[in-house]
Amino acid sequence: MEDMFEDEEDDYTPEKPEREHRPRGQRTDQQLTVKEPAELMAFLIASLPHKNRNNIKSLLSNQQIKIDGRISSQFNQPLRPGQIVTVSAARAPRTAQFRGLTILYEDQHLIIINKQAGILSMGTEKQRDHTAYSILSSYVKTENPKNRIFIVHRLDRETSGVMMFARSERVQRLMQESWNETIRQRTYVALVEGVPSPEQGKIESYLHESKALIVYSSQNPDTGQLAITNYKVVRAANGYALLELELETGRKNQIRVHMQDIKHPIAGDSKYGAESDPIGRLGLHAEVLAFEHPITKAPMRFDAPIPKGFLAVLK
């Protein structure tokens, strides 16, 4: 995984999410009590016989389902006896949309986001505000000023896609200490210069970072940490290729360095050998993150669609 960080206090002005006010109406919310263990979709189908599966999917996607007061859109969310499932009469206000990121999922343990390119994962000495960390920290404090969030892993500023935060130090520690066992899938897509040959393969090397913060690749195991990247070409045109990448390890700048190793650097990545910038940003996106929930042990999967700019280059 990318470098992991301990949480730190940010000194920033809280940022307000973009909200929409819920219109007032005469309809009332429906509260359902969970009697026995079940997954959310199965529970809703059984509890709402007047609605079909597509109706219920719409309720989930429109954030009209809450579990113990928290919005849930995960159809396979496990339920425990005694929990209260609320079916809202109207769509939820858009509290999960911010400038720079979208919250894909949250519960009392985790927050999963889709980070846009250009947003830092966490603050640096030069920039401490409008980072994913500061935005989410402000967000959770609106519920309770004592709430905090904790970095589990990070994405580079110019990399977009799925990213995870913990809502307690305990969950942060559980995720970081069991990362390799817990993560089921971590898929990236990259827009690279040229078309790799062969079109599918595995890249293995040892990575180390210089004092100038540049990561170097070597075949000498004494010079760094083992990094393994599997790649597959899924589309190619106009001198570029779209690759699907599965990580067996998660070192800092791993994909960027490995693409340089095979002489097909990521578009826009001048730091690691790119000569072109067709989309005005780094052509790297974290598309899928699947893992076992650290507390409930439920299987979780989150997808962030491939940015349209990547696909436009290949038309």
Side-chain angles (χ1 to χ4, degrees), residues 105 107 109-110 175 182 291-300:
Y105 171 82
D107 60 22
H109 307 293
L110 299 170
M175 289 302 303
T182 300
F291 57 94
E292 180 184 277
H293 194 289
I295 303 300
T296 67
K297 305 305 178 184
M300 313 290 283

Side-chain angles (χ1 to χ4, degrees), residues 130-151:
H130 198 64
T131 66
Y133 176 89
S134 70
I135 293 169
L136 293 177
S137 182
S138 173
Y139 171 70
V140 300
K141 288 177 187 296
T142 59
E143 181 182 88
N144 184 333
K146 294 182 179 180
N147 284 347
R148 297 175 65 194
I149 60 165
F150 300 82
I151 295 282

Side-chain angles (χ1 to χ4, degrees), residues 22-314:
R22 183 197 301 263
R24 294 182 180 179
Q26 299 302 314
R27 294 176 296 172
T28 58
D29 296 347
Q30 183 177 1
Q31 291 193 333
L32 307 168
T33 302
V34 179
K35 301 294 186 182
E36 57 187 26
E39 289 190 350
L40 180 57
M41 176 62 82
F43 175 80
L44 291 172
I45 289 173
S47 302
L48 304 172
H50 57 291
K51 294 187 179 295
N52 60 33
R53 182 177 290 268
N54 287 335
N55 296 150
I56 292 172
K57 285 182 178 179
S58 294
L59 291 173
L60 290 167
S61 63
N62 292 332
Q63 299 187 336
Q64 290 174 251
I65 303 298
K66 294 181 181 179
I67 302 173
D68 290 341
R70 292 186 180 276
I71 291 172
S72 178
S73 58
Q74 194 78 8
F75 71 91
N76 60 352
Q77 175 85 9
L79 300 176
R80 303 185 307 274
Q83 288 186 302
I84 303 297
V85 176
T86 302
V87 182
S88 298
R91 294 187 181 190
R94 293 177 57 195
T95 57
Q97 182 69 48
F98 300 81
R99 183 166 59 90
L101 63 86
T102 301
I103 296 177
L104 301 177
Y105 171 82
E106 65 175 311
D107 60 22
Q108 62 267 45
H109 307 293
L110 299 170
I111 297 181
I112 312 298
I113 68 168
N114 180 5
K115 185 186 81 68
Q116 295 179 12
I119 301 294
L120 283 168
S121 295
M122 63 176 295
T124 64
E125 291 183 3
K126 295 182 179 180
Q127 180 180 345
R128 296 182 66 81
D129 61 352
H130 198 64
T131 66
Y133 176 89
S134 70
I135 293 169
L136 293 177
S137 182
S138 173
Y139 171 70
V140 300
K141 288 177 187 296
T142 59
E143 181 182 88
N144 184 333
K146 294 182 179 180
N147 284 347
R148 297 175 65 194
I149 60 165
F150 300 82
I151 295 282
V152 175
H153 68 117
R154 73 170 186 174
L155 298 177
D156 291 337
R157 180 201 290 264
E158 295 305 323
T159 301
S160 56
V162 185
M163 186 178 170
M164 178 195 308
F165 289 82
R167 298 192 63 152
S168 69
E169 287 183 288
R170 174 181 175 235
V171 171
Q172 178 197 44
R173 185 177 64 255
L174 286 172
M175 289 302 303
Q176 291 182 346
E177 290 179 351
S178 64
W179 185 263
N180 290 334
E181 297 75 29
T182 300
I183 298 300
R184 298 288 181 258
Q185 182 181 351
R186 196 175 184 202
T187 303
Y188 286 73
V189 290
L191 182 70
V192 303
E193 295 179 344
V195 183
S197 180
E199 294 192 351
Q200 185 169 344
K202 176 183 288 191
I203 308 165
E204 296 186 46
S205 70
Y206 297 87
L207 305 183
H208 69 279
E209 187 175 17
S210 70
K211 292 181 180 179
L213 305 181
I214 297 175
V215 177
Y216 291 91
S217 179
S218 168
Q219 292 302 312
N220 184 349
D222 296 328
T223 61
Q225 294 179 302
L226 177 64
I228 303 174
T229 304
N230 297 286
Y231 73 89
K232 179 175 65 175
V233 176
V234 295
R235 191 179 302 184
N238 305 320
Y240 294 91
L242 187 70
L243 307 188
E244 184 178 88
L245 304 126
E246 298 283 351
L247 302 186
E248 293 188 29
T249 60
R251 311 303 181 195
K252 182 179 179 179
N253 291 170
Q254 173 178 325
I255 294 173
R256 298 169 65 180
V257 176
H258 276 171
M259 294 302 97
Q260 182 185 47
D261 280 353
I262 64 172
K263 304 188 186 311
H264 293 282
I266 294 173
D269 194 5
S270 58
K271 182 177 181 179
Y272 292 107
E275 298 179 353
S276 64
D277 186 11
I279 57 175
R281 56 158 288 193
L282 182 73
L284 185 60
H285 176 73
E287 182 185 23
V288 178
L289 182 64
F291 57 94
E292 180 184 277
H293 194 289
I295 303 300
T296 67
K297 305 305 178 184
M300 313 290 283
R301 177 190 166 106
F302 300 95
D303 297 69
I306 299 172
K308 294 180 180 178
F310 287 35
L311 303 175
V313 174
L314 301 167

